[in-house]
């Protein structure tokens, strides 16, 4: 029974295995991280995406251009606008990232990317992979770094979400074996786990954080999560001054709301899907996903984005101009520090702290609040007052 279906599924699985083994080899052959101080010029790609993406990206790119004006004039920084990462264009090419767009992305060193719409299975649109997920894979952006800070509660968390493996590695390549049996796959590699663990521990060491928590579900997802856990623990031994603890993802979601326990967490390292879920929860404590930026770091490239989606409903309801640019602005601050402009990055974060706490310009997502453009101008004025005319 079902011999043909089993055979077809096995063939599909074989192809996936070959591609994943090849990916693992590619990871091993990679060089070291880009040293931005050694580049004559840093190219910043600005890719608006779709939905509210272009609106919030424009404000963030304007703020970056303001902060980097002198560097642009001196030819040390170049902004490059990249169009074409819209759902319409992606469907027209039937590709998560059309080839010409990918080629342009690869000409940049770092990318500021607006949210992009992802078709969901069964919504009537073609089964195109999420552009974020595809970009993370195509540029091998293996670490998704997401900070959440609530100073008044003593919360200062940094999540190191593995970004190219786990349930996402072949998330669009599952198989319907028969009409009644569907299979997805979870992928963990040695190199993939070690490199995210190393980044998390290095960050903890460099920033004086004395605890790294490894989050997983190794009691149930034994093979892949078990491997992730064991490899992270091994790396942890190289950092004797840092306490390593291990938590299952379910209890972690609970402990994040436990006022007695939550502030003990500092640095988290976790597989892709758990990182996706828990960083939305964490961002909510800070004021919502609209307040949280995200850095996607690889050895050669890095991409900075909001942690939320493209909010197509806001566009459908004609509210796009009221979109909140704060998450993209936080991502822009992360971009600045990543390429070595640490003072500018701090200034932007401080300006955002001031602007987000102010009652003068409130973003509500509707016409009773200020527009995205008004908020962007407010941030620039605040920066101007902080650091003087540039
Ligand atoms: C995120 C987003 C993406 C993800 C979606 C849009 C595919 O939720 O960046 O967290 O699941 O990674
Ligand atoms: Mg998410």
């Amino acid at each position: 029974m079902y011999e043909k279906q089993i055979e077809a599924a096995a063939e599909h699985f074989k192809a996936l295995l070959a591609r994943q083994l090849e990916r693992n080899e590619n990871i091993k052959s990679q060089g070291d991280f880009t040293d931005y101080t050694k580049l004559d010029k840093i190219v910043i790609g600005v890719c608006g995406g779709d939905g509210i993406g272009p609106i919030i990206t424009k404000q963030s790119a304007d703020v970056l251009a303001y902060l980097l004006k002198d560097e642009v004039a001196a030819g040390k920084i170049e902004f490059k606008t990249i169009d074409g990462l819209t759902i319409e264009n992606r469907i027209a090419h039937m590709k998560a990232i059309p080839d010409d767009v990918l080629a342009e992305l690869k000409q940049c060193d770092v990318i500021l990317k607006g949210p992009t719409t992802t078709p969901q299975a069964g919504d009537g649109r073609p089964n195109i992979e999420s552009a974020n997920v595809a970009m993370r894979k195509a540029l091998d952006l293996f670490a998704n770094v997401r900070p959440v800070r609530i100073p008044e509660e003593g919360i200062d968390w940094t999540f190191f979400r593995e970004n190219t493996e786990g349930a996402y590695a072949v998330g669009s390549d599952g198989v319907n074996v028969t009409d009644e049996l569907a299979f997805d796959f979870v992928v963990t590699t040695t190199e993939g786990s070690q490199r995210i663990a190393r980044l998390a521990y290095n960050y903890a060491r460099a920033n004086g954080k004395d605890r790294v928590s490894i989050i997983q579900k190794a009691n149930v997802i034994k093979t892949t999560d078990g491997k992730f856990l064991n490899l992270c623990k091994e790396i942890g031994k190289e950092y004797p001054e840092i306490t390593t603890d291990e938590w299952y993802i379910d209890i972690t979601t609970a402990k994040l709301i436990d006022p007695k326990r939550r502030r003990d967490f500092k640095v988290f390292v976790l597989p892709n899907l758990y990182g996706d879920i828990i960083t939305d929860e964490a961002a909510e404590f800070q004021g919502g996903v609209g307040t949280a930026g995200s850095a996607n770091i690889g050895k050669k490239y890095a991409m900075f984005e909001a942690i939320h989606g493209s909010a197509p409903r806001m566009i459908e309801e004609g509210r796009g101009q009221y979109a909140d640019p704060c998450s993209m602005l936080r991502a822009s601050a992360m971009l600045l520090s990543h390429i070595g402009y640490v003072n500018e990055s701090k200034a932007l974060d401080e300006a955002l702290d001031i602007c987000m706490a102010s009652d003068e310009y409130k973003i509500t997502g509707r016409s009773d609040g200020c527009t995205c453009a008004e908020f962007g101008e407010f941030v620039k004025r605040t920066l101007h007052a902080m650091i003087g005319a540039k």
Side-chain angles (χ1 to χ4, degrees):
M1 233 175 137
Y2 296 122
E3 253 164 50
K4 269 205 184 117
Q5 287 94 330
I6 292 173
E7 194 57 39
E11 284 303 319
H12 182 87
F13 187 43
K14 266 193 199 166
L16 292 184
L17 290 178
R19 284 215 300 276
Q20 289 303 310
L21 285 166
E22 190 188 324
R23 186 178 66 79
N24 187 44
E25 290 305 318
N26 288 342
I27 300 179
K28 286 197 272 185
S29 66
Q30 266 178 5
D32 211 347
F33 285 99
T34 301
D35 180 352
Y36 296 96
T37 62
K38 296 230 168 79
L39 299 181
D40 294 335
K41 183 170 74 180
I42 301 173
V43 180
I44 303 178
V46 177
C47 183
D50 55 27
I52 60 167
I55 300 166
I56 60 176
T57 307
K58 180 181 183 318
Q59 291 312 315
S60 309
D62 281 359
V63 168
L64 282 180
Y66 168 76
L67 283 168
L68 297 171
K69 212 187 299 172
D70 295 344
E71 285 71 14
V72 171
K76 282 199 223 143
I77 301 258
E78 182 191 324
F79 286 96
K80 187 173 156 53
T81 305
I82 300 172
D83 296 318
L85 205 65
T86 60
I87 185 69
E88 295 79 15
N89 194 40
R90 291 159 57 219
I91 288 180
H93 287 84
M94 278 306 285
K95 286 227 157 147
I97 305 177
D99 292 343
D100 54 337
V101 178
L102 184 58
E104 285 188 76
L105 290 167
K106 286 188 171 171
Q107 286 164 14
C108 305
D109 299 297
V110 289
I111 297 148
L112 181 69
K113 181 193 138 300
T116 48
T117 304
T118 308
Q120 182 190 318
D123 74 359
R125 289 183 287 194
N127 173 21
I128 291 183
E129 187 175 41
S130 140
N132 326 21
V133 174
M135 201 182 296
R136 292 166 187 167
K137 287 181 193 166
L139 306 181
D140 201 18
L141 308 173
F142 66 87
N144 196 322
V145 186
R146 298 183 162 182
V148 167
R149 298 203 169 104
I150 313 169
E152 60 278 19
E153 288 184 35
I155 290 176
D156 185 355
W157 297 329
T158 311
F159 294 86
F160 284 80
R161 163 185 175 188
E162 200 294 317
N163 213 20
T164 49
E165 305 198 340
Y168 281 63
V170 290
S172 298
D173 282 316
V175 46
N176 286 300
V177 180
T178 68
D179 284 346
E180 290 167 5
L181 177 65
F183 249 86
D184 270 315
F185 305 96
V186 180
V187 179
T188 297
T189 68
T190 301
E191 297 282 332
S193 307
Q194 286 173 337
R195 63 184 182 172
I196 186 73
R198 204 156 264 133
L199 207 67
Y201 278 96
N202 280 346
Y203 170 86
R205 176 172 276 175
N207 292 280
K209 314 265 179 207
D210 58 5
R211 183 183 296 274
V212 172
S213 305
I214 309 168
I215 313 298
Q216 26 64 43
K217 189 76 186 174
N219 52 339
V220 176
I221 317 294
K222 294 183 194 290
T223 310
T224 45
D225 276 14
K227 182 176 177 71
F228 184 86
L229 171 62
N230 289 334
L231 289 167
C232 290
K233 279 205 301 201
E234 279 303 308
I235 299 283
K237 289 187 189 146
E238 296 171 24
Y239 301 76
E241 79 279 19
I242 296 172
T243 304
T244 293
D245 53 21
E246 18 180 309
W247 290 80
Y248 295 137
I249 179 65
D250 50 352
I251 190 64
T252 312
T253 61
K255 287 297 158 195
L256 284 196
I257 58 173
D258 175 351
K260 287 198 292 295
R261 184 62 186 75
R262 64 200 305 215
R263 65 173 63 121
D264 294 343
F265 288 115
K266 304 239 161 83
V267 174
F268 300 79
V269 60
L270 64 182
N272 213 336
L273 182 59
Y274 309 142
D276 176 47
I277 295 167
I278 213 165
T279 53
D280 270 15
E281 184 197 6
E284 193 66 24
F285 304 135
Q286 177 186 266
V289 289
T291 64
S294 155
N296 296 262
I297 311 286
K299 294 264 170 90
K300 186 163 162 52
Y301 300 102
M303 180 267 278
F304 300 81
E305 61 180 347
I307 80 164
H308 58 76
S310 60
R313 196 179 310 152
M314 281 193 84
I315 300 293
E316 278 158 30
E317 294 173 4
R319 295 187 285 118
Q321 72 269 36
Y322 299 107
D324 187 347
C326 289
S327 51
M328 283 300 279
L329 287 162
R330 289 283 184 206
S332 305
M334 296 177 89
L335 182 154
L336 286 167
S337 102
H338 186 73
I339 59 174
Y341 291 89
V342 176
N343 292 336
E344 287 79 357
S345 167
K346 280 196 186 130
L348 178 51
D349 267 329
E350 276 168 36
L352 283 171
D353 290 343
I354 295 169
C355 295
M356 288 163 82
S358 148
D359 288 329
E360 211 181 328
Y361 290 90
K362 278 270 170 246
I363 295 263
T364 62
R366 301 181 178 272
S367 55
D368 59 352
C370 73
T371 63
C372 182
E374 283 163 352
F375 194 86
E377 287 304 320
F378 180 38
V379 172
K380 270 190 275 180
R381 278 201 305 281
T382 308
L383 278 168
H384 190 79
M386 280 166 60
I387 56 179
K390 279 204 81 174

